[in-house]
Each structure stands twice: as C-alpha cells, then as structure tokens.
Amino acid sequence: MAGDRRAAGALGGTGAAGAPPGQGAVGAPGRPWSRYDDARTTVVRDILRTVISALAAQAGRDRLDILDAGGGTGGFAVPLASLGHNVTVIDPSADSLAAEASADLVLCHSVLEYVDSPADAMASIAQVLRPAGAVSVLAASSVAAVIHRALAGRFDDARRLLAGIGGSGPEAGPPRRFTLAAVVGLIEGAGLRAGRAHGVRVFADLVPGMFADADPGAADALVALERAASAHPAFHDVATQFHIVGYR
C-alpha cells in the first residue's frame, strides 16, 4: 500500500492554511492540537527537525525522499509532505520495504510492535537507506507499560508484563514492547549506527489532560519538562516510548 501523502501542516512555524502552530500541524488530523497533544509529540518533532535539516544539508537539496512505514494517522507524513518532501506511506512488512527505492529517511514509528519480525523489518529498512541516510525509530517501552498498569490498579497485568522483561530481545507479541537495549540491538544488528536515545511521553501520559488544557501556563511547563526529561538517561525506560535515530 504505497502512495504520496500530501496535506497541510508543518513541523513548526505556520500550520495549515495559515493557522498558528498547533492548528492542523503534527497531531491528530482533522482537529486542532490540544496542548496535551503538544506535550506528547514535541520531542519527536524537535528531533525530526534537526535530523531533516542535517540530511538536507548533506544531500545538498531541500527536498528529501522519505518513507513512512505504516503511516498511522499521517501525523508526521502529512506535515512533511506539505514542506515539499517526497513522502511515501508504505506497508511496514519486510517485503514491502524491500520493494521500495532508496530513501534519505525512513519513519519507523510504532511499527516494530506489530510486524512479524522486527529484525527483518529493520534489516529491510537499512537496505533502502541511502549512504548517510537515517531511520527514525519510535517504540513502546516495556518498563513504562508495567508502571502504567500498576498505577491503574491492574496489578496482575503489571506483574505479567514485568515477568517478560529481562531478555535482550523484544517481547513475543504482537503488540510487543521493548527495552531500550533491545531497540539499539535491532538497529545495530541491521548494520546501522544508533544515535542518542530520547524518552517520549515521560510525564504526559501520567498527567490528566484536563490540567494542561485548562491552564496554558501549565501546558507550556509540561512541554518544557518533557523536553528536559527526554534527554536524561534516568527517564528513558519509564517513558511511554523511546526514540532513537539509526544512521547508515
């Protein structure tokens, strides 16, 4: 299932149809961003801005060829296409990835949790990356899943998930959850270099959304806290997800 996804929105600055940041930008399509959505996505958006800028400078062109494996709601593919990049949303299977032409950047967000073989999928991604290309990997944390279930009073579920943590690989799944070491192992096992890890949604999933929506000052403070905590190694495993860029 491949095809270009082009629509309004942006990773930063002005949003769709001249709307201010957060309106029609990277978030759930078809409705304005809430402040809570911003806290949940800001870390990945910040990283992608930096990665795309560096890739464009290395390639000597502003327009990159980007593959979005899975695509989801189009929350990243649509804004990137609106910035002028060639964005193709594809099925995340290893066969579909292997059939694609080369790319400067592959988005692998919440994909490894569901593919038949995470290792095969990552190997296929590595094969389509151009020299100096990159893959943006966003994966669910097995440690955070235990914490969230315990906080919800689902203690048996938390204990069951806890028992599955400890191996070097991902859970059997799907859906799978990962330790940071397991995702780094998948990236390096595909012959790529793993960049710096960031925690995503360290606090945003623990704070009721109504608090951030009701008080703009609190929303901005939550975003600042997410940004600060994302780079701190102590918070990587307790974040709902972690993000790593793999480089060819």
Side-chain angles (χ1 to χ4, degrees):
M1 226 173 95
D4 287 344
R5 295 285 298 273
R6 304 191 181 280
L11 283 173
T14 302
Q23 301 287 328
V26 181
R31 67 171 178 83
W33 249 352
S34 72
R35 306 294 297 183
Y36 185 50
D37 287 333
D38 191 69
R40 290 160 59 94
T41 60
T42 189
V43 170
V44 178
R45 289 185 292 109
D46 288 349
I47 296 168
L48 284 180
R49 285 192 193 98
T50 301
V51 170
I52 288 171
S53 178
L55 289 176
Q58 289 175 349
R61 49 190 164 82
D62 294 331
R63 189 169 182 168
L64 299 179
D65 294 321
I66 300 173
L67 295 180
D68 187 352
T73 63
F76 288 95
V78 174
L80 289 172
S82 77
L83 293 175
H85 299 294
N86 297 315
V87 182
T88 303
V89 178
I90 63 171
D91 185 271
S93 68
D95 288 343
S96 295
L97 286 163
E100 289 297 324
S102 60
D104 300 298
L105 174 66
V106 176
L107 305 183
C108 180
H109 295 175
S110 301
V111 166
L112 299 177
E113 292 88 334
Y114 297 97
V115 293
D116 291 336
S117 169
D120 289 347
M122 191 59 64
S124 296
I125 288 171
Q127 290 175 0
V128 302
L129 285 179
R130 290 172 181 158
V135 54
S136 170
V137 181
L138 184 66
S141 165
S142 54
V143 174
V146 174
I147 294 172
H148 292 172
R149 279 157 180 76
L151 290 174
R154 297 166 56 187
F155 304 123
D156 289 340
D157 286 346
R159 185 163 51 84
R160 177 179 55 81
L161 291 175
L162 178 61
I165 298 175
S168 58
E171 297 174 4
R176 302 175 188 86
R177 298 168 190 86
F178 299 81
T179 62
L180 179 58
V183 174
V184 170
L186 288 170
I187 292 172
E188 294 180 343
L192 304 176
R193 175 178 60 85
R196 187 178 182 184
H198 289 81
V200 177
R201 293 153 59 186
V202 176
F203 298 106
D205 286 355
L206 302 177
V207 176
M210 62 181 179
F211 291 162
D213 285 336
D215 182 353
D220 291 339
L222 179 58
V223 168
L225 179 61
E226 284 288 336
R227 282 181 168 139
S230 70
H232 200 301
F235 291 100
H236 288 166
D237 282 332
V238 299
T240 299
Q241 298 171 301
F242 36 74
H243 181 271
I244 310 174
V245 179
Y247 296 93
R248 187 164 180 79

